[in-house]
Amino acid sequence: MVRLSCSTFCLLLLSLIPALAEATAINSLKTFIQETRTVRANFSQTLYDKNSRAIQESTGTMQFERPEKFRWAYEKPYEQLIVGNGTQVWFYDHDLNQVTVRQFNLAIGSSPAALLAGSSTIEDNFELVELGVQNEMEWLEAIPKNKESNFEFIQMGFSPDGTLKVMALRDNFGQTTLLSFSELDKNPTLPADLFTFIPPDNADVISE
C-alpha cells in the first residue's frame, strides 16, 4: 500500500517545453497571493514513480488562510489530514491512527505550502522562471533557493483569468506529483478552528 510521506505532502511535476510568451505567469502568481487571503478548493492528485508510472491517485479538499495556515484533507483512497497553524504541522493517518507533529518552519520551508500560504516574499525562498503557455495555461517554475529542500522544483499553471488550475512537483527521490484544482473559491469565510488539530483518543503521536 502506497502512502504519502510527510516530505511529499504537497505536490507536483510536468515536463514542459517553454513557449514564447510574456512574463505573465509570475504576475499571475504574485497577484493571486496579493489578492487572496483565503482559499477553498477540491483537488485530484496523481503520484508517479521515477519511471513515470502512476502509483497512486487521490482526491480531497484543501483550504488555506494567509499567513501560514492550511488544511489539506485526503479523502480517497485513504483518509489523511495535514493541518498547519503557523507554529506546528500535524500529519494524521486515519487508518493507522497515527499523528506526526513537526515544527512549522521545518515542515514547510521551501515547499508548495510556502508558495501558497507563506508569509514571506516569494523571492525570499524561490527563484521564479517563466515557462510560457501550454494547453491554454500560463506556466512558471519555482526553484527552491534552499539546497536542502525536499523538492527540486515546483511548477504552477494559471488560466488566462489568473486562476490557479494545476501544480506539479518533482521531489528529491525522483517521484512526481500532479495536482489539479477544481471549484476554487477565493476569499471565502473560513472558521478559525479549521486550522487547529487535536489528536484522537488513543492515537499514536510522534513528535519530530
Side-chain angles (χ1 to χ4, degrees):
M1 180 173 64
V2 177
R3 290 187 178 276
L4 300 175
S5 66
C6 295
S7 64
T8 57
F9 134 60
C10 288
L11 327 156
L12 316 83
L13 159 74
L14 274 181
S15 297
L16 299 173
I17 301 175
L20 295 176
E22 297 180 356
T24 55
I26 293 176
N27 291 338
S28 293
L29 173 60
K30 291 181 178 181
T31 299
F32 179 82
I33 290 175
Q34 291 171 358
E35 296 181 352
T36 306
R37 188 179 66 87
T38 61
V39 162
R40 177 171 50 218
N42 299 327
F43 70 84
S44 60
Q45 178 176 305
T46 304
L47 178 66
Y48 298 88
D49 65 16
K50 60 183 178 180
N51 297 314
S52 299
R53 294 177 299 188
I55 57 177
Q56 186 177 33
E57 294 184 355
S58 308
T59 59
T61 61
M62 75 91 163
Q63 297 92 15
F64 73 75
E65 179 178 325
R66 305 187 70 253
E68 300 182 338
K69 296 180 181 180
F70 61 88
R71 185 182 186 92
W72 202 274
Y74 292 90
E75 299 171 351
K76 295 180 181 180
Y78 311 110
E79 290 187 41
Q80 292 178 289
L81 180 64
I82 304 167
V83 179
N85 68 354
T87 302
Q88 293 180 308
V89 181
W90 295 269
F91 301 84
Y92 175 54
D93 188 307
H94 181 271
D95 291 344
L96 298 179
N97 198 26
Q98 182 180 82
V99 180
T100 301
V101 186
R102 302 185 67 186
Q103 292 301 307
F104 189 89
N105 61 330
L106 298 177
I108 299 305
S110 298
S111 72
L115 266 174
L116 296 178
S119 60
S120 61
T121 302
I122 304 169
E123 286 88 351
D124 288 348
N125 295 317
F126 299 92
E127 177 185 353
L128 302 179
V129 180
E130 288 286 343
L131 294 179
V133 178
Q134 289 285 325
N135 298 323
E136 300 182 348
M137 286 190 290
E138 302 161 351
W139 285 89
L140 65 84
E141 183 168 279
I143 304 170
K145 292 183 177 180
N146 182 356
K147 301 305 180 182
E148 297 182 357
S149 171
N150 294 319
F151 308 98
E152 292 183 15
F153 59 80
I154 301 166
Q155 296 176 344
M156 306 178 71
F158 291 85
S159 64
D161 66 358
T163 300
L164 177 62
K165 302 296 290 185
V166 181
M167 296 183 73
L169 111 75
R170 175 186 290 162
D171 66 26
N172 292 332
F173 299 99
Q175 290 186 324
T176 63
T177 307
L178 179 63
L179 190 72
S180 299
F181 298 105
S182 62
E183 299 183 34
L184 190 147
D185 185 12
K186 293 175 60 176
N187 295 319
T189 300
L190 301 176
D193 60 1
L194 194 66
F195 306 107
T196 60
F197 181 80
I198 299 176
D201 293 340
N202 302 317
D204 183 17
V205 180
I206 302 171
S207 296
E208 296 183 352

